[in-house]
C-alpha cells in the first residue's frame, strides 16, 4: 500500500484519500438556522438560567445562519442574565465559548468583567481556555492599547508551562497562535515591565506545540494549515524563535499539502491560495525551509488551469501571488503563470486604487508592461473612471506612473481632469503635491495656463509659512525645477518661490542630483544670484564636491562659468569619457578636449535615424535658396554642427532638452548650452550659432514656424 508522508511520520489518518475537515465548533451541536427557537427558550427560562447555559445559548447565536437584530428584547435579556451569572462565578471560570461568541458577534459587553475575573485568578487553566484568554487579551490590547491587557497576558502566559499540549486541538491553536503573534508586536511589548521574561516563556512553550500540530493535522482542513503557516511565520518574524524549530512546522505542513492540496483546492478562497503562495515564499526567502519543487509546480498548475473556476482574486491577492512566485523563482512555465495573472488583472472590476497601481508597478518592474500593452490601456481608462473618487496622493501617484510611460503628453482629456480637480481643490494641496501637478501639467501639450496661475498663487501663500517650507522634500523641489525648465519662458513667480526654498532650506546640500539640476536651471535662465543664494550654492558645492561623478562634472563645467573657482578641473578625469560623446561634447565647448570627427558624425546620424528632421531642414533651406553644408566639425574640433548655412551660421540639433527660451518680445533666446556654443562660434569667425531642440518642436503648435524662427528669424 502506498504510504503518504503523513503516514511515514506515524500520523494516523483514517482515510488517506479524503481530505480531513475540522469541526468548526468543539462540540457537535445541531446548527441553528434562525433565532426563533432560541429566543423562545430565553423568554421562558431567562430568570433561572445558569452561567453555562447562558454561554451555550450565546455561542449558538454567534453561529446563527441568518443575521438577527441585536437590539431585540430577548437578546438583551440574555445579555443581562449572562452578565449577572458571570459576576457570581468564581474558581475555574470557563471563557472559551464566551470569547468565541463575543469575537464572532463583534461585541465587547463583557470585556471588563472577563478581565476582572482573570485578574482575580478566577479562570480555568485548561489548554483550550488558556488559548482563548490569550487571544482575547491580545485583541483587547490591539484595539485599545491599554497596559493592563498586556500585563494580564503576561500573567496568563506563565500558566502555559503547566499545560498539557496533548490536549490542544486545532481550534485552540487558532486562538493561541493569533494571540502569541500579536503579543510579539513592539507596541505590545512596550506595555510590559519584563517583556523578555514573557518572550522566554512563549519561546520555551512553542516547541511542544509544534509536535502537537503534527498530530492535529488529522483534523485540519487546508485553510487551517495556511493559517498555521502564517501565524508561525509572523511569530518568528517578531521574536527570537529558532529557525530550526520553524522547520518542524514547515515539514508538517508540507506533508499535509503534498497529500491533500489537489483534493482540497476547492475548499479555499482565492485569498487563501494567495496567502499559501506568500508563506511558502517567505519560508524560502528567509532561508527557513525550501518546499519541494513538485508542490510548487502543482500550485502553479492549479493557478493556470483551475483558477477561473475555483477562485476569485482581488488585486491584493494577485500582488501576493506574483511576489511569492517571483521570490521562489521556480517555475514549470513562467510565461503561462504570468499570463494567467495578467488575465486575472485585466478581468478585475473592483475598485482598489492604491493596490491596482502597486500591481501595475510590479508588472512594470518585471518588464511585463512592455509585453502586455493592454495593461497600460486598462490602467489609463481605470484612472479616468476612478479619478473623481481617488485620494489625492493616490491620484498623483497614478499621474507619475502615466508620465513615466509617456501617457501624458497628448492626453487632452487628462489635462482637463487635472485642471478641474485643481480649480476645486487647490487650497488643500501641499507644496510637494503642487510641484508634482505642475510638472505633470508642463509635460502635457495642452497646458492649462489657469492651472499654472493657481499653482503660482497657492505656492506663494504656502512658501510664506515656515512650517510648510520645512515640509518640502527633495523630490518636490526636483519636480519644481524640472517643470520650470519645461517652460517656454522664464516663470518669475515660481522662480522666486524656488529661490526662497533653496535659501531657507538645506535641501540643496542633501541631494546631489537636485544640486546639479538647480545649477543647470539657474544657468539656462540666467537668474539673479544674490549673496544669500550664492552662499547656499557655495555650501552645496563643498557638500557634494567629492561625490560628483565624471558626468556630473562635465555637466557643471558647461553650466557654471565659475567652474575654475570650485576646482572642478582638479578632479576631472577626461580618460573616462572615451565612450561618452555627450560628456565630451560639453567639455569641448569649454575648450578642454577636441572631438573625434567619426564620433561626431555618428551622433548626427543617430539623431537623424530617429526622425526626418535633417530632411525637413534641407527642404526649408532649399525653398529659401540658402547655401548649406551638412555634418561638420568646426572651431578647432570643439563644435559639431548638423548644418553650415551661407558659410556663416552654424546649426545643430539636440534631443531631450530645451535649447531656447521665449523673451517678452516673442523672440527666441539661447539657453546656456546654446549660448556657450554661440560664443565659441563667434570667436571663430562665424556669424551665429543656432540650436534646434526636438523637445521644443514637440511642444510647438506649428513645427514649421518653429524651424523657420530658429533658422532665419533669430
Amino acid at each position: 500500500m502506498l504510504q503518504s508522508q503523513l503516514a511515514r511520520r506515524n500520523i494516523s489518518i483514517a482515510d488517506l484519500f479524503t481530505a480531513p475537515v475540522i469541526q468548526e465548533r468543539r462540540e457537535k451541536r445541531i446548527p441553528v438556522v434562525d433565532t426563533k427557537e432560541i429566543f423562545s427558550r430565553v423568554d421562558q427560562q431567562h430568570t433561572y438560567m445558569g452561567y453555562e447555559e447562558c454561554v451555550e445559548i450565546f455561542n449558538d447565536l454567534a453561529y446563527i445562519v441568518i443575521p438577527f437584530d441585536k437590539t431585540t428584547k430577548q437578546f438583551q435579556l440574555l445579555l443581562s442574565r449572562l452578565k449577572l451569572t458571570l459576576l457570581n462565578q468564581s474558581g475555574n471560570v470557563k471563557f472559551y465559548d464566551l470569547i468565541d461568541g463575543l469575537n464572532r458577534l463583534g461585541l465587547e459587553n463583557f470585556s471588563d468583567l472577563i478581565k476582572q475575573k482573570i485578574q482575580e485568578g478566577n479562570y480555568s487553566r485548561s489548554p483550550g481556555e488558556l488559548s482563548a484568554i490569550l487571544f482575547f487579551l491580545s485583541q483587547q490590547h490591539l484595539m485599545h492599547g491599554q497596559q493592563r491587557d498586556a500585563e494580564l497576558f503576561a500573567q496568563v502566559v506563565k500558566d502555559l508551562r503547566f499545560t498539557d499540549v496533548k490536549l490542544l486541538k486545532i481550534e485552540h491553536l487558532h486562538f493561541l497562535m493569533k494571540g502569541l503573534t500579536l503579543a510579539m508586536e513592539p507596541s505590545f511589548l512596550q506595555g510590559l515591565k519584563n517583556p523578555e521574561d514573557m518572550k522566554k516563556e512563549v519561546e520555551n512553550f512553542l516547541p511542544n506545540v509544534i509536535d502537537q500540530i503534527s498530530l492535529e493535522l488529522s483534523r485540519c482542513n487546508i485553510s487551517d494549515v495556511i493559517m498555521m503557516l502564517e501565524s508561525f511565520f509572523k511569530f518568528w518574524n517578531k521574536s527570537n524563535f529558532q529557525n530550526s524549530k520553524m522547520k518542524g512546522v514547515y515539514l508538517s505542513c508540507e506533508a499535509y499539502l503534498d497529500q491533500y492540496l489537489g483534493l482540497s483546492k476547492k475548499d479555499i478562497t482565492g485569498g487563501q491560495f494567495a496567502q499559501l503562495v506568500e508563506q511558502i515564499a517567505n519560508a524560502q526567502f528567509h532561508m527557513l525551509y525550501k518546499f519541494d519543487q513538485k508542490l510548487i509546480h502543482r500550485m502553479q498548475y492549479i493557478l493556470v488551469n483551475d483558477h477561473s473556476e475555483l477562485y476569485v482574486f482581488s488585486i491584493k491577492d494577485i500582488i501576493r501571488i506574483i511576489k511569492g512566485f517571483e521570490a521562489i523563482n521556480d517555475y514549470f512555465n513562467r510565461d503561462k503563470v504570468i499570463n494567467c495573472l495578467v488575465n486575472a488583472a485585466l478581468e478585475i472590476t473592483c475598485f482598489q486604487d492604491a493596490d491596482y497601481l502597486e500591481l501595475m508597478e510590479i508588472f512594470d518592474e518585471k518588464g511585463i508592461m512592455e509585453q502586455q500593452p493592454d495593461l497600460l490601456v486598462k490602467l489609463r481608462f481605470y484612472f479616468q473612471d476612478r479619478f473623481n473618487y481617488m485620494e489625492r496622493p493616490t491620484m498623483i501617484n497614478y499621474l507619475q506612473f502615466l508620465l513615466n510611460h509617456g501617457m501624458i503628453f497628448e492626453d487632452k482629456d487628462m489635462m482637463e481632469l487635472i485642471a478641474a480637480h485643481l480649480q476645486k481643490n487647490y487650497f488643500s494641496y501641499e507644496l510637494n503635491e503642487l510641484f508634482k501637478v505642475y510638472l505633470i501639467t508642463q509635460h502635457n501639450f495642452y497646458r492649462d495656463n489657469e492651472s499654472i496661475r493657481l499653482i503660482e498663487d497657492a505656492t506663494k501663500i504656502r512658501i510664506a509659512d515656515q512650517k510648510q517650507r520645512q515640509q518640502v522634500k527633495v523630490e518636490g523641489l526636483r519636480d519644481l525645477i524640472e517643470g520650470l525648465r519645461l517652460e517656454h519662458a522664464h516663470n518669475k513667480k515660481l522662480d522666486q518661490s524656488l529661490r526662497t526654498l533653496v535659501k531657507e532650506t538645506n535641501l540643496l546640500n542633501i541631494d546631489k542630483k537636485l544640486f546639479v539640476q538647480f545649477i543647470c536651471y539657474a544657468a539656462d535662465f540666467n537668474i539673479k544670484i544674490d549673496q544669500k543664494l550664492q552662499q547656499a550654492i557655495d555650501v552645496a558645492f563643498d557638500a557634494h564636491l567629492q561625490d560628483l561623478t565624471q558626468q556630473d562634472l562635465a555637466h557643471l563645467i558647461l553650466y557654471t562659468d565659475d567652474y575654475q573657482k570650485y576646482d572642478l578641473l582638479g578632479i576631472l578625469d577626461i580618460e573616462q569619457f572615451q565612450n561618452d560623446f555627450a560628456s565630451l561634447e560639453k567639455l569641448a565647448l569649454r575648450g578642454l578636449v577636441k572631438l573625434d570627427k567619426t564620433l561626431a558624425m555618428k551622433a548626427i546620424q543617430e539623431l537623424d535615424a530617429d526622425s526626418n528632421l535633417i530632411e525637413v531642414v534641407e527642404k526649408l533651406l532649399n525653398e529659401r535658396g540658402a547655401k548649406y553644408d551638412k555634418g561638420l566639425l568646426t572651431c578647432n574640433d570643439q563644435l559639431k554642427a548638423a548644418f553650415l548655412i551661407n558659410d556663416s551660421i552654424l546649426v545643430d540639433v539636440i534631443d531631450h532638452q530645451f535649447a531656447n527660451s521665449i523673451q517678452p518680445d516673442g523672440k527666441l533666446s539661447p539657453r546656456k548650452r546654446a549660448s556657450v556654443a554661440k560664443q565659441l562660434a563667434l570667436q571663430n569667425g562665424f556669424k551665429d550659432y543656432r540650436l534646434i531642440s526636438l523637445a521644443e518642436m514637440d511642444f510647438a503648435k506649428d513645427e514649421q514656424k518653429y524651424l523657420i524662427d530658429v533658422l532665419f528669424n533669430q
Side-chain angles (χ1 to χ4, degrees):
M1 178 179 176
L2 182 64
Q3 285 188 317
S4 68
Q5 290 189 43
L6 290 174
R8 288 195 295 272
R9 299 183 73 241
N10 297 319
I11 298 173
S12 175
I13 295 181
D15 184 354
L16 294 175
F17 301 99
T18 303
V21 178
I22 185 175
Q23 295 295 328
E24 286 294 331
R25 309 179 66 179
R26 290 191 304 164
E27 300 176 8
K28 298 180 181 179
R29 295 201 292 270
I30 298 173
V32 183
V33 177
D34 59 37
T35 59
K36 185 177 180 180
E37 180 182 344
I38 294 178
F39 283 164
S40 175
R41 180 181 173 188
V42 171
D43 270 332
Q44 297 173 14
Q45 304 176 11
H46 72 273
T47 55
Y48 52 85
M49 286 191 301
Y51 171 72
E52 292 186 0
E53 189 177 3
C54 288
V55 169
E56 179 183 329
I57 294 174
F58 181 76
N59 194 259
D60 281 340
L61 287 170
Y63 285 85
I64 208 79
V65 176
I66 301 174
F68 64 93
D69 183 2
K70 297 184 181 68
T71 63
T72 58
K73 173 187 173 183
Q74 292 85 352
F75 187 66
Q76 294 303 314
L77 284 173
L78 176 63
L79 293 181
S80 299
R81 185 63 184 176
L82 181 52
K83 181 178 181 180
L84 179 63
T85 55
L86 179 56
L87 275 169
N88 295 326
Q89 291 294 303
S90 61
N92 297 328
V93 183
K94 294 183 178 180
F95 291 116
Y96 187 97
D97 282 343
L98 178 58
I99 291 172
D100 184 34
L102 289 170
N103 184 52
R104 289 181 175 275
L105 291 172
L107 299 176
E108 287 198 55
N109 298 54
F110 309 103
S111 297
D112 290 336
L113 190 51
I114 293 173
K115 293 176 194 177
Q116 179 184 331
K117 294 293 182 183
I118 295 171
Q119 190 168 6
E120 295 169 353
N122 292 325
Y123 60 92
S124 171
R125 270 73 172 178
S126 70
E129 293 293 327
L130 289 177
S131 66
I133 291 171
L134 291 173
F135 168 75
F136 166 76
L137 292 171
S138 63
Q139 285 282 0
Q140 286 291 301
H141 186 275
L142 177 66
M143 291 187 290
H144 307 296
Q146 294 182 0
Q147 183 177 353
R148 178 193 180 196
D149 298 328
E151 292 294 346
L152 287 175
F153 186 98
Q155 171 190 320
V156 177
V157 159
K158 294 177 182 178
D159 293 320
L160 290 177
R161 68 181 74 168
F162 308 110
T163 298
D164 185 357
V165 294
K166 294 179 181 178
L167 299 177
L168 281 171
K169 305 302 179 185
I170 192 64
E171 54 266 35
H172 304 151
L173 292 168
H174 275 215
F175 276 149
L176 182 64
M177 289 312 303
K178 287 180 181 178
L180 295 180
T181 301
L182 287 174
M184 292 299 112
E185 294 289 342
S187 58
F188 189 98
L189 296 173
Q190 288 171 4
L192 294 174
K193 295 178 181 177
N194 299 301
E196 293 303 319
D197 291 345
M198 192 273 287
K199 289 172 67 175
K200 189 174 181 180
E201 290 278 359
V202 173
E203 290 164 9
N204 290 337
F205 171 72
L206 274 184
N208 298 326
V209 175
I210 293 173
D211 294 335
Q212 181 63 12
I213 286 174
S214 299
L215 297 172
E216 277 294 298
L217 281 175
S218 61
R219 301 181 61 246
C220 283
N221 61 27
I222 191 170
S223 61
D224 297 312
V225 174
I226 296 170
M227 182 282 300
M228 280 191 291
L229 282 170
E230 183 173 44
S231 294
F232 269 94
F233 175 76
K234 285 183 177 179
F235 181 83
W236 170 85
N237 200 32
K238 299 291 183 181
S239 68
N240 298 320
F241 198 54
Q242 296 178 11
N243 291 11
S244 59
K245 302 297 183 183
M246 288 292 293
K247 185 177 180 180
V249 177
Y250 289 120
L251 277 169
S252 299
C253 292
E254 183 184 44
Y256 179 98
L257 293 170
D258 178 64
Q259 185 69 33
Y260 294 112
L261 178 62
L263 293 169
S264 302
K265 61 187 179 183
K266 63 181 181 300
D267 297 328
I268 58 175
T269 65
Q272 289 172 322
F273 182 88
Q275 192 178 357
L276 179 58
V277 174
E278 183 180 51
Q279 291 310 315
I280 290 176
N282 283 337
Q284 182 165 317
F285 180 79
H286 294 280
M287 294 182 288
L288 297 172
Y289 188 75
K290 184 176 175 63
F291 281 77
D292 186 70
Q293 183 188 59
K294 291 181 180 179
L295 176 62
I296 295 169
H297 287 184
R298 196 184 312 167
M299 292 179 64
Q300 293 168 357
Y301 184 86
I302 291 171
L303 174 69
V304 171
N305 293 281
D306 300 329
H307 89 275
S308 59
E309 297 179 2
L310 297 177
Y311 308 129
V312 176
F313 292 127
S314 68
I315 296 173
K316 201 70 174 178
D317 295 336
I318 299 174
I319 291 173
R320 295 166 85 176
I321 292 171
I322 189 171
K323 281 185 174 181
F325 280 140
E326 288 290 282
I328 296 169
N329 195 26
D330 188 351
Y331 292 96
F332 79 90
N333 189 318
R334 183 178 186 271
D335 290 341
K336 284 187 177 181
V337 173
I338 296 299
N339 286 336
C340 172
L341 294 172
V342 168
N343 291 333
L346 289 171
E347 293 170 2
I348 283 178
T349 56
C350 57
F351 303 128
Q352 298 167 295
D353 300 331
D355 290 342
Y356 188 61
L357 180 59
E358 181 185 357
L359 177 60
M360 294 301 107
E361 289 172 340
I362 293 171
F363 282 154
D364 189 34
E365 182 184 337
K366 304 296 181 183
I368 299 169
M369 297 294 286
E370 293 182 5
Q371 303 168 14
Q372 301 281 351
D374 288 348
L375 287 170
L376 199 56
V377 175
K378 179 178 172 63
L379 176 79
R380 170 62 185 83
F381 285 107
Y382 177 91
F383 178 61
Q384 183 161 341
D385 290 341
R386 292 286 302 158
F387 184 87
N388 292 321
Y389 307 99
M390 285 185 180
E391 296 290 334
R392 190 173 62 251
T394 303
M395 178 199 77
I396 291 174
N397 289 337
Y398 268 87
L399 288 171
Q400 181 64 58
F401 187 84
L402 290 168
L403 176 63
N404 294 343
H405 286 271
M407 297 283 286
I408 294 292
F409 180 68
E410 293 184 305
D411 198 331
K412 188 175 183 179
D413 292 340
M414 182 75 72
M415 191 67 254
E416 291 175 353
L417 285 172
I418 295 171
H421 189 275
L422 190 62
Q423 288 171 10
K424 293 178 182 178
N425 303 283
Y426 72 93
F427 53 86
S428 63
Y429 277 68
E430 297 178 357
L431 280 170
N432 293 302
E433 294 172 334
L434 285 170
F435 297 156
K436 178 65 72 177
V437 173
Y438 173 64
L439 173 62
I440 299 294
T441 301
Q442 290 296 77
H443 272 282
N444 191 280
F445 180 80
Y446 304 96
R447 296 170 175 174
D448 182 72
N449 292 327
E450 182 61 30
S451 295
I452 294 175
R453 282 193 289 272
L454 281 173
I455 293 171
E456 291 170 352
D457 294 340
T459 299
K460 183 178 179 180
I461 294 170
R462 285 157 178 73
I463 288 291
D465 184 349
Q466 182 180 359
K467 290 183 178 179
Q468 295 201 45
R469 290 201 303 269
Q470 296 302 321
Q471 291 175 357
V472 175
K473 299 178 181 178
V474 166
E475 294 78 10
L477 210 55
R478 291 183 64 186
D479 288 338
L480 174 59
I481 295 174
E482 184 180 346
L484 285 168
R485 295 189 75 186
L486 288 171
E487 288 265 20
H488 292 301
H490 183 207
N491 188 317
K492 294 183 179 180
K493 290 184 178 180
L494 287 177
D495 174 79
Q496 182 61 47
S497 297
L498 171 62
R499 284 188 283 172
T500 299
L501 287 170
V502 170
K503 290 186 285 188
E504 299 297 332
T505 68
N506 66 340
L507 295 177
L508 217 60
N509 306 337
I510 295 174
D511 188 78
K512 181 185 66 175
K513 289 183 178 180
L514 173 63
F515 165 67
V516 174
Q517 192 180 15
F518 176 75
I519 294 298
C520 295
Y521 161 75
D524 272 342
F525 289 97
N526 195 26
I527 69 170
K528 183 179 179 181
I529 307 293
D530 59 29
Q531 183 177 358
K532 191 171 182 179
L533 184 56
Q534 184 63 57
Q535 183 180 0
I537 292 172
D538 291 343
V539 171
F541 257 112
D542 290 339
H544 298 299
L545 192 60
Q546 300 304 317
D547 298 324
L548 294 171
T549 66
Q550 294 299 309
Q551 286 72 24
D552 293 333
L553 290 170
H555 229 68
L556 290 171
I557 287 170
L558 174 60
Y559 284 89
T560 308
D561 291 333
D562 295 331
Y563 60 87
Q564 292 181 340
K565 166 187 171 182
Y566 299 107
D567 195 27
L568 299 184
L569 299 181
I571 54 177
L572 182 68
D573 185 0
I574 295 176
E575 292 184 1
Q576 293 192 27
F577 296 112
Q578 292 181 359
N579 299 317
D580 185 358
F581 183 78
S583 295
L584 286 171
E585 197 171 6
K586 296 182 181 75
L587 297 176
L589 290 173
R590 290 296 190 180
L592 300 177
V593 297
K594 291 186 177 182
L595 297 176
D596 179 82
K597 186 171 183 178
T598 302
L599 292 177
M601 296 307 104
K602 182 181 178 182
I604 294 174
Q605 291 168 4
E606 288 176 351
L607 198 61
D608 187 36
D610 294 332
S611 70
N612 64 339
L613 180 63
I614 301 296
E615 179 184 342
V616 172
V617 172
E618 283 190 81
K619 183 178 179 181
L620 288 174
L621 293 173
N622 289 328
E623 289 175 353
R624 296 288 181 112
K627 175 186 174 184
Y628 64 90
D629 293 314
K630 293 195 304 180
L632 303 100
L633 192 58
T634 65
C635 302
N636 196 26
D637 294 340
Q638 291 177 237
L639 185 63
K640 76 171 177 64
F643 293 94
L644 173 61
I645 303 174
N646 296 329
D647 296 325
S648 61
I649 300 175
L650 293 172
V651 177
D652 203 7
V653 182
I654 195 171
D655 191 1
H656 298 297
Q657 65 187 78
F658 280 25
N660 308 283
S661 298
I662 300 176
Q663 297 301 307
D665 60 4
K667 291 186 178 181
L668 294 178
S669 173
R671 297 193 183 187
K672 188 63 177 180
R673 180 189 179 113
S675 177
V676 173
K678 183 174 182 176
Q679 291 177 12
L680 181 60
L682 293 175
Q683 291 170 5
N684 283 270
F686 293 98
K687 183 179 178 181
D688 202 358
Y689 173 88
R690 296 166 187 181
L691 193 56
I692 298 172
S693 165
L694 293 178
E696 286 178 44
M697 281 187 64
D698 285 339
F699 283 97
K701 294 182 179 179
D702 187 334
E703 292 184 351
Q704 184 171 354
K705 181 179 182 304
Y706 167 79
L707 287 174
I708 291 173
D709 286 342
V710 173
L711 293 170
F712 306 113
N713 297 337
Q714 275 192 336

